Amino acid sequence: MPDTFALLVQIHSASRDGLDEARLNCLLDRTDALIKDHARLAVPIAVGILTELTPQQHESLAQRLAERNAEYVDNYLEADLDERRALRVERYTERVEAWVGRLSKAQRGVMANAIVQMPDTAEPWLAYRQQQQQTLLELLRRQAPEEELTEFLTAWWVDLEQRSAELVEATNGVRAQSIGLTLRIDASLDQR
């Protein structure tokens, strides 16, 4: 908790003092590190729980994962590409407005133009999720030892290993373009 609070203070200070690309990259790196730290803390807890599951619970977990993947498809993989882009713009805009209040029409235009140019990670991310979930279920069904589960979950949750080159490239593209968008929006914010 103290690290999270310190990061939020840094973000607040940086936003007040003025943002630039280097500062945003630094803050994003620190955010990524903090997320990894918390994921690393969750691994032994998850392993302790997962090793105690019964075969019936394995099947319940498989069903729940399938349900969550269906929800993901409903939320992020609209078949109509124009509608998918519109929903993506809406999600990003809502997130920004939660922090800075209502954006002007011009700011919304900047958001929309930038977001439709960003790589769409929804499909490769779902493929990655499903691949990792299947591996997890296989490990549970064959009652893999704690060490193997720990290694797998650390690789998945902390290090994000096994991602396709396409997903890594798209994720990096989203980050780079998000930094540019943040700088444009930040420069256009008024006192309100």
Side-chain angles (χ1 to χ4, degrees):
M1 189 61 95
D3 290 342
T4 303
F5 181 75
L7 177 60
L8 291 172
V9 169
Q10 287 177 330
I11 291 169
H12 177 42
S13 176
S15 66
R16 191 182 56 237
D17 297 343
L19 298 174
D20 58 40
E21 186 174 348
R23 183 174 279 179
L24 280 175
N25 266 311
C26 181
L27 291 170
L28 286 172
D29 287 345
R30 183 62 198 120
T31 301
D32 288 345
L34 190 59
I35 290 168
K36 285 182 176 194
D37 289 346
H38 285 92
R40 192 172 282 106
L41 292 172
V43 167
I45 297 167
V47 168
I49 294 167
L50 291 170
T51 57
E52 297 296 321
L53 297 181
T54 65
Q56 295 82 6
Q57 290 171 316
H58 296 161
E59 296 316 309
S60 292
L61 176 60
Q63 182 179 357
R64 180 64 183 131
L65 293 173
E67 290 168 1
R68 290 194 63 215
N69 288 336
E71 291 170 11
Y72 181 93
V73 169
D74 288 344
N75 291 332
Y76 298 101
L77 289 170
E78 169 65 42
D80 179 274
L81 292 180
D82 290 335
E83 181 66 18
R84 186 188 302 185
R85 285 185 198 102
L87 291 169
R88 191 172 184 217
V89 168
E90 183 180 325
R91 280 192 305 274
Y92 272 71
T93 302
E94 286 174 358
R95 290 173 188 156
V96 170
E97 287 183 338
W99 285 88
V100 302
R102 181 89 175 144
L103 295 174
S104 70
K105 185 177 180 179
Q107 290 167 328
R108 286 174 159 262
V110 168
M111 290 283 298
N113 289 334
I115 292 164
V116 297
Q117 299 301 316
M118 289 181 185
D120 187 348
T121 60
E123 287 181 37
W125 187 258
L126 177 62
Y128 174 64
R129 264 174 65 150
Q130 290 173 320
Q131 166 195 310
Q132 297 301 93
Q133 291 166 351
Q134 288 310 306
T135 301
L136 174 62
L137 291 170
E138 290 167 13
L139 290 170
L140 294 176
R141 287 175 180 140
R142 70 172 173 79
Q143 298 179 323
E146 285 187 20
E147 299 78 27
E148 191 174 354
L149 277 172
T150 298
E151 184 179 307
F152 171 74
L153 290 178
T154 301
W156 179 13
W157 294 354
V158 178
D159 301 323
L160 300 173
E161 291 179 5
Q162 305 300 319
R163 291 179 299 159
S164 68
E166 173 192 12
L167 179 55
V168 172
E169 182 179 337
T171 302
N172 291 338
V174 168
R175 176 181 167 141
Q177 290 184 25
S178 294
I179 288 171
L181 173 58
T182 300
L183 293 172
R184 287 193 298 279
I185 292 297
D186 182 60
S188 72
L189 294 176
D190 59 30
Q191 193 58 37
R192 176 186 56 84

